[in-house]
Amino acid sequence: MISTGFIRDTYAASRILKFSTDSLFIHVNYSHKIFDYIDNPNGFICNTMMRAYLQRNQPQNTIFLYKSMLKNNVCIDNYTFPLLVQASTVRLSEAEGKEFHNHVIQTGFGSDVYVKNTLINMYAVCRNLIDARKMFDESPVLDSVSWNSILAGYVQVGNVDEAKVIFDKMPMKNVIASNSMIVLLGRSGRMSEACQLFDEMMEKDVVSWTALISCYEQHGMYTQALDLFMQMCSNGISIDEVVAVSVLSACAHLLVVQTGESVHGLVIRVGFESYVNLQNALIHMYSTCADVMAAQRLFDTSSHLDQISWNSMISGYLKCDSLEQARELFDSMTEKDVVSWTTMISGYAQHDHFSETLALFQEMLHEDNKPDETTLVSVLSACTHLSALDQGKWIHAYIRKNGLKVNSILGTTLLDMYMKCGCVENALEVFNGMEEKGVSSWNALILGLAMNGQVERSLDMFQKMKECGVTPNEVTFVAVLGACRHMGLVDEGRSYFNAMTRHYNVEPNIKHYGCMVDLLARAGLLKEAETLIDSMPIAPDVATWGALLGACRKHGNSEMGERVGRKLLELQPDHDGFHVLLSNIYASKGNWDSVLDIRVAMTRQGVVKVPGCSMIEANGAVHEFLAGDKSHSQINEIEEMLAEMEKRLKIMGYAPDTDEVLLDIDEEEKESTLFRHSEKLAIAYGLIAIAPPTPIRIIKNLRICSDCHAAAKLISKAFDREIVVRDRHRFHHFKDGSCSCMEFW
């Protein structure tokens, strides 16, 4: 046509241009070259080229071509404006759409149904339902497209009431409209109405089934989703990618790998197993159901992998406790997004690899990746467990500097970190600054105050929580009973325990009973504590019996202690703490033969006593000390400080409590053993490495012994330093020779 000159014939050129634009395998630029050959393109030719640009997602070129049409006085018709309005809709540009609306009115096409429908749709998509509804109401002729467009607008903005009004008024309720309503009702949590509408539909297509199944899945109604899917298949409805993804998600949540495998087989038979979204859903389903090898096979054989595929595979390995494989896959990624980093960081935190959590977080920042709220929750959790206050404070400053939204989860984690590092005022500052305070936020505050010895303030916050209209849950009462336990408030504890069911309809669980047993036992009411255990409507766990055993040791009731200790060893023969407590009870009576029997039994059963371990953060690094530890790089300086501590304590009248060393050795050896407990080593290092007035903060994996407790009080006075020790039960704030626990621990 070019060589013969027929390309300049308007009709002939319009036919080859139409063929070119309709053929998706021909690039739009080629069509544009054909268009440029035409000397005087008419309205049909321009509309054809504009439609091509719109179909190839180049709406701006559609608009540029319209400007050229105006400049060259090309005839505009009722097919031109719908293309322009659609172009502005794709660009979400209501301002452009309004300009075209004005042109429509000026050129006299305002009454054209096709033009009006595209304008209704444009305003609806741009969320201007006022103008969309005005055009709809003023239209003299309404067809199914008009009704569907205005309904889609209300569905998009989630306006259920107006959508129902439109839907009920529709002269013919077509499948598209019904499907839109099912999606809206399901999204709004009105599942019964969505189901009713689905059942009333005379005609259903694959979208109808998919819409309701997806609604079930999104609302956690996974069994219903699978049941409806089975019904869909039995009715001979062909499945699509969307429904397959929803069903595989339901299988993952229900951990029904066999059903997931059946869906996988169906997907293969239908022929779209290579779709990347389905690949990701299958990888997620298999890895969640602990079949990580099947997930890996899919991952290895897939030719269509995206970022989600890699992240899903890493998540799958982490769920199967395969941290090394997850890290190996993570390191092999050529490109990592924030989800990749967060998944790996969260995996380390969830598996108690807290040092690795912080190290990987530092690496993430070094590579200029910005963490989100989920990342920071995991990192703050690691800081909490390591008592890494400096790093926790840095993260708090990072949140402020970058203007990150402190939602309920992040705020609660930050509050918990400060509380568990003994920084009560910082925690209160976070709590007071939170816009969203869920019940978990109040629970963390109440428990944190109690752990830090501020029991009265803790119980006041419980009252304030109720005044703010927040309903206490079972965790709240664990915190409240824990507060009573920390200060020996027996009467108050009984009152709160009884109020749980009477006023708040919260049935006591094993943790509540454990708190009450511990409260009574610590207060010396051992018989009442044992009676409560015997009357429990649920079987007591080892922690509940363990609380009673610990109290027997504390209050010197060796008869009950021996009985409870033997029972505990029957229930959990591999628990090192129970062996040690029972051994200590025998040793306190001088019954060394029984002590030896316990040690022989521990050796025979492979039970190893967990060594005392204390951690302290200094200059941004966390240092760990074991009892009798000599491995620290500054051990010589620590030894000198220990000697200085011992000298000052003896001047103040300190005498080692050698009863804490229940070994058949002489008193001098006992004193030496006592002074090398892990918390004393950590305190000595803190005195060297942390300049005053910064408090020395220590985290201990076991309960602090009475000798270390007494020594820490005197050290705080002798060196004029505040010392904060968090043991496995509570905080001890040592200052000026006293402790926040007021000797009830």
Side-chain angles (χ1 to χ4, degrees), residues 167-188:
F167 184 73
D168 291 339
K169 286 182 178 179
M170 289 181 76
M172 290 288 291
K173 294 178 175 62
N174 53 41
V175 176
I176 295 173
S178 298
N179 292 345
S180 296
M181 283 303 297
I182 289 172
V183 170
L184 176 61
L185 292 167
R187 193 193 304 153
S188 305

Side-chain angles (χ1 to χ4, degrees), residues 405 653 667:
K405 180 176 171 57
E667 290 299 309

Side-chain angles (χ1 to χ4, degrees), residues 474 497 500-502 504-510 512-513 537:
E474 56 185 26
F497 186 77
M500 285 175 59
T501 49
R502 190 179 306 147
Y504 301 99
N505 199 30
V506 176
E507 285 296 322
N509 60 29
I510 194 69
H512 301 116
Y513 279 104

Side-chain angles (χ1 to χ4, degrees), residues 153-167:
Y154 285 122
V155 168
Q156 182 183 354
V157 299
N159 190 331
V160 181
D161 295 334
E162 285 297 329
K164 288 184 73 175
V165 169
I166 292 293
F167 184 73

Side-chain angles (χ1 to χ4, degrees), residues 262-407:
S262 299
V263 177
H264 188 182
L266 184 58
V267 165
I268 293 172
R269 286 197 297 276
V270 173
F272 45 69
E273 74 277 9
S274 62
Y275 291 9
V276 68
N277 286 342
L278 267 173
Q279 289 281 336
N280 292 339
L282 285 164
I283 290 170
H284 173 71
M285 185 275 296
Y286 280 121
S287 58
T288 301
C289 295
D291 192 351
V292 73
M293 297 310 297
Q296 184 67 58
R297 282 195 297 273
L298 270 170
F299 183 83
D300 291 338
T301 57
S302 176
S303 58
H304 300 88
L305 293 175
D306 62 6
Q307 201 72 37
I308 297 173
S309 314
W310 286 84
N311 294 340
S312 297
M313 200 64 237
I314 292 169
S315 178
Y317 274 124
L318 291 170
K319 285 173 184 172
C320 296
D321 300 331
S322 302
L323 266 71
E324 289 184 14
Q325 290 92 330
R327 183 59 191 265
E328 186 178 328
L329 194 62
F330 175 82
D331 289 338
S332 67
M333 291 178 72
T334 54
E335 185 179 340
K336 303 179 182 75
D337 60 10
V338 67
V339 177
S340 316
W341 288 97
T342 299
T343 301
M344 197 67 229
I345 287 169
S346 300
Y348 274 137
Q350 289 161 10
H351 287 83
D352 297 345
H353 286 56
F354 303 118
S355 297
E356 290 88 343
T357 302
L358 297 185
L360 190 58
F361 177 65
Q362 294 298 330
E363 189 179 331
M364 177 184 184
L365 295 176
H366 182 70
E367 297 200 12
D368 291 330
N369 288 279
K370 289 194 174 182
D372 60 12
E373 289 84 354
T374 306
T375 320
L376 296 176
V377 165
S378 295
V379 177
L380 283 169
S381 175
C383 292
T384 302
H385 284 88
L386 294 173
S387 200
L389 178 61
D390 288 348
Q391 295 191 55
K393 283 184 172 180
W394 184 91
I395 293 167
H396 192 185
Y398 180 90
I399 292 169
R400 287 170 170 162
K401 181 181 177 182
N402 290 275
L404 294 176
K405 180 176 171 57
V406 180
N407 57 26

Side-chain angles (χ1 to χ4, degrees), residues 542 549 562-583 586 598 601-602 605 607:
V542 291
L549 178 61
E562 288 181 38
R563 176 161 42 83
V564 172
R566 285 193 294 270
K567 183 179 185 67
L568 274 168
L569 292 186
E570 290 175 11
L571 290 171
Q572 196 166 344
D574 60 343
H575 194 291
D576 66 304
F578 299 149
H579 283 88
V580 172
L581 274 173
L582 185 56
S583 174
Y586 285 136
I598 292 285
M602 288 177 72
Q605 295 169 16
V607 179

